[in-house]
């Protein structure tokens, strides 16, 4: 295993480019299962999770070719409908193959993903929706056994907004007979991107980005080419890193329209965020203001930015209340930040951050993807040296984060643990 060693106290300056969005690339690569022939996807990030999903697609019989950030997938030779336990447990987004396999083969056998560090992560709404489309679902020996002679359009209502639930059912419905309506659907940009990719394949989807998505089933889809949208969470992570080091950076290739809630909260905290012709300019400040944040489904403040924003609040000049409404256990980073001197009190779904204590370097352990990012950001701001172990968590969702931050003047290096 490896760790990242960070020398704190260096301002970030210069220009950095963001990669394609992990959470858009995952469902879009999977959507190739719905077609026969070569699909070409551009701006695909090189991440552990992307390598995992490519391995799963190959196991299902697809051909996958990668050249830099271009990935080509041909699912003509689909010859399996099983997503095995050892793969799904390493990446729960593998459940996204459920919908396409049912739509294409009428059969799917997918290991139940189980929980993860941030919560139980149930998929009951995925399964309920697939049953409403006519699938027969049973749970046996830790596996979801799903089959459907044919899927029929239905009215589906999500009790809770679910991103991959919306994506799974969208992909199941595109070849179903008749019209499917998804109500209380997720509005994330990654959902919109998937709908755009599917429509380029010949699907008929309207309403993506609103709470009501309508899918009119078609006979078949054809392969296409598509460019993955930029990663709004990677972008937000760099913005906070600039904020905690009083830096001045330009972020290239990002999409400001996907960042409105993040930009708003950073500006409230005193960080300057300005759109320049070829990127986003982010300038830190000596005095960071404490700001309350509540995580919500898009377009609210993203839960995937909660841990990173908390570090900024540790350096602010007052009290801030950070409420996590999406996942039940997403304050794991708090105990590690406390070891760096942060003054944070967790009570239920809220964390009260008393800023102004400053942070000191320490040996800390990453537990999940975004918590790891917050520990690296804390290390950039801390006085002294921070060692973040188990960085395989961060490699799931960030492409060479230490190289990109070092390119901005951060003092980081990756060493064997
Ligand atoms: C997606 O996870 C993202 N992952 C997560 O990003 C992100 O944190 C999350 O959406 C929320 O924005 C991918 O897109 C691959 P949900 P997902 O279903 O789809 C409950 C990262 O760091 N729920 O929107 O699994 C669930 O328990 C990752 O990149 C049910 O109750 O999240 C949670 O409380 C972490 N039943 C809430 O809904 C279901 O069937 C939102 O979960 C499904 C979800």
């Amino acid at each position: 295993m490896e760790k990242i060693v960070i020398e704190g106290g260096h301002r970030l300056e210069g220009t950095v480019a963001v990669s394609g969005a992990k959470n858009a690339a995952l469902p879009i690569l999977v959507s190739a299962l719905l077609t026969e022939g070569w699909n070409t996807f551009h701006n695909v990030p090189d991440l552990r999770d992307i390598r995992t999903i490519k391995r799963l697609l190959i196991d299902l019989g697809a051909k996958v070719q990668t050249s830099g950030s271009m990935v080509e997938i041909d699912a003509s030779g689909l010859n399996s409908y099983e997503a095995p336990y050892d793969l799904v447990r390493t990446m729960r987004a593998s459940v996204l193959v459920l919908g396409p396999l049912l739509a294409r083969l009428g059969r799917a056998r997918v290991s139940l993903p189980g929980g993860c560090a941030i919560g139980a992560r149930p998929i009951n709404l995925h399964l309920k929706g697939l049953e409403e489309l006519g699938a027969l679902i049973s749970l046996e020996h830790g596996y979801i056994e799903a089959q459907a002679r044919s899927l029929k359009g239905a009215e589906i209502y999500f009790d809770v907004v679910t991103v991959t639930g919306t994506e799974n059912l969208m992909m199941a419905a595109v070849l179903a007979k008749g019209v499917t309506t998804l109500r209380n659907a997720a509005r994330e940009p990654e959902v919109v991107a998937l709908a755009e990719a599917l429509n380029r394949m010949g699907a008929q989807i309207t309403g993506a980005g609103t709470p009501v998505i309508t899918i009119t089933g078609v006979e078949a889809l054809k392969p296409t080419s598509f460019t993955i949208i930029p990663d709004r969470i990677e972008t937000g992570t760099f913005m906070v890193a600039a904020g905690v080091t009083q830096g001045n950076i330009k972020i290239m290739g990002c999409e400001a329209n996907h960042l409105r809630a993040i930009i708003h909260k950073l500006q409230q905290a005193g960080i300057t965020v300005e759109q320049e012709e070829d990127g986003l300019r982010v300038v830190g400040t000596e005095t960071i203001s404490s700001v309350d944040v509540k995580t919500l489904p898009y377009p609210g403040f993203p839960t995937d930015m909660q841990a990173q924003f908390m570090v900024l609040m540790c350096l602010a000049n007052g009290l801030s209340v950070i409420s996590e409404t999406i996942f039940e256990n997403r304050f794991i980073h708090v105990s590690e930040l406390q070891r760096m001197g942060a003054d944070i009190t967790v009570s239920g779904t809220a964390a009260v951050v008393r800023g102004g204590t400053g942070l000191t370097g320490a040996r800390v352990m990453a537990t999940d993807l975004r918590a790891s990012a917050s520990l690296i950001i804390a290390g950039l701001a801390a006085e002294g040296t921070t060692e973040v172990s188990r960085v395989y968590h961060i490699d799931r969702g960030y492409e060479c984060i230490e190289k990109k931050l070092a390119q901005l003047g951060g003092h980081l290096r990756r060493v064997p643990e």
Side-chain angles (χ1 to χ4, degrees):
M1 287 201 272
E2 297 176 305
K3 61 185 176 185
I4 291 180
V5 180
I6 307 147
E7 298 301 328
H10 301 276
R11 281 163 54 92
L12 295 187
E13 292 182 322
T15 299
V16 68
V18 292
S19 304
K22 165 176 84 79
N23 291 348
L26 289 171
I28 289 170
L29 293 185
V30 167
S31 72
L33 292 175
L34 293 161
T35 67
E36 299 195 343
W38 284 101
N39 293 272
T40 304
F41 301 115
H42 299 284
N43 198 33
V44 179
D46 179 18
L47 304 169
R48 277 184 71 222
D49 277 9
I50 297 297
R51 292 191 285 276
T52 302
I53 206 76
K54 290 195 284 191
R55 199 166 68 246
L56 173 54
L57 295 174
I58 291 167
D59 288 353
L60 293 171
K63 291 201 282 290
V64 178
Q65 289 173 353
T66 302
S67 150
S69 66
M70 181 176 81
V71 175
E72 295 170 299
I73 302 174
D74 176 358
S76 309
L78 217 47
N79 56 25
S80 164
Y81 51 71
E82 176 163 335
Y85 170 70
D86 61 0
L87 219 156
V88 176
R89 74 184 169 85
T90 61
M91 189 192 59
R92 36 178 313 93
S94 311
V95 296
L96 281 166
V97 301
L98 259 176
L101 286 175
L102 270 178
R104 179 83 187 278
L105 301 177
R107 188 87 170 78
R109 185 167 193 271
V110 176
S111 167
L112 271 165
C116 75
I118 64 178
R121 311 293 293 279
I123 58 165
N124 59 311
L125 299 177
H126 298 232
L127 303 180
K128 174 173 161 282
L130 291 171
E131 285 178 327
E132 285 163 345
L133 289 174
L136 298 174
I137 307 258
S138 62
L139 303 182
E140 291 159 29
H141 311 297
Y143 275 77
I144 301 155
E145 299 285 353
Q147 47 190 338
R149 245 196 314 287
S150 72
L151 294 173
K152 228 162 73 52
E155 280 272 324
I156 294 169
Y157 174 77
F158 290 109
D159 299 346
V160 178
V161 173
T162 162
V163 174
T164 50
T166 300
E167 293 165 346
N168 225 338
L169 290 166
M170 201 192 308
M171 290 192 279
V174 289
L175 298 177
K177 288 185 178 28
V179 179
T180 297
T181 307
L182 304 180
R183 295 189 187 283
N184 197 24
R187 300 163 58 185
E188 273 69 2
E190 294 76 26
V191 172
V192 175
L194 173 62
E196 284 169 5
L198 289 168
N199 282 342
R200 288 175 66 121
M201 295 173 176
Q204 287 179 22
I205 302 170
T206 56
T210 77
V212 181
I213 300 177
T214 304
I215 303 116
T216 305
V218 295
E219 275 303 306
L221 297 186
K222 57 190 187 317
T224 188
S225 65
F226 192 79
T227 299
I228 304 298
I229 59 172
D231 195 313
R232 60 193 170 98
I233 305 301
E234 184 190 20
T235 306
T237 303
F238 290 141
M239 295 170 83
V240 171
V244 303
T245 60
Q246 291 159 35
N248 182 331
I249 68 171
K250 177 147 84 170
I251 305 174
M252 311 283 282
C254 55
E255 175 48 72
N257 285 327
H258 297 163
L259 295 156
R260 293 296 168 213
I262 299 169
I263 292 172
H264 176 69
K265 284 296 171 183
L266 288 172
Q267 287 174 332
Q268 269 191 321
I271 310 294
T272 301
V273 182
E274 279 163 0
Q275 180 81 53
E276 293 185 354
E277 72 289 343
D278 56 352
L280 216 48
R281 169 72 55 191
V282 183
V283 184
T285 171
E286 294 274 320
T287 51
I288 299 165
S289 304
S290 292
V291 172
D292 294 345
V293 158
K294 176 183 240 186
T295 66
L296 287 170
Y298 192 90
F301 190 89
T303 173
D304 291 350
M305 277 298 301
Q306 179 257 105
Q308 300 91 311
F309 194 82
M310 186 179 283
V311 179
L312 185 69
M313 291 301 101
C314 292
L315 306 173
N317 56 8
L319 269 187
S320 70
V321 179
I322 298 180
S323 308
E324 171 57 59
T325 72
I326 306 293
F327 291 114
E328 66 269 27
N329 189 32
R330 203 168 199 178
F331 286 139
I332 310 164
H333 45 286
V334 168
S335 51
E336 295 300 280
L337 293 174
Q338 286 167 335
R339 296 184 56 246
M340 297 178 72
D343 182 348
I344 306 169
T345 308
V346 173
S347 161
T349 60
V352 178
V353 183
R354 284 176 186 75
T357 57
L359 296 172
T360 56
R363 293 183 61 182
V364 291
M365 190 186 297
T367 51
D368 68 271
L369 169 53
R370 307 303 173 181
S372 330
S374 75
L375 296 177
I376 287 188
I377 291 172
L380 291 171
E383 181 257 320
T385 304
T386 299
E387 296 189 0
V388 181
S389 62
R390 302 193 177 183
V391 286
Y392 58 84
H393 286 292
I394 201 152
D395 293 333
R396 297 190 50 177
Y398 291 90
E399 208 172 355
C400 314
I401 193 167
E402 81 279 5
K403 289 201 181 96
K404 289 192 177 185
L405 290 171
Q407 177 196 329
L408 288 171
H411 289 205
L412 308 92
R413 65 189 194 286
R414 182 186 289 253
V415 296
E417 190 129 31

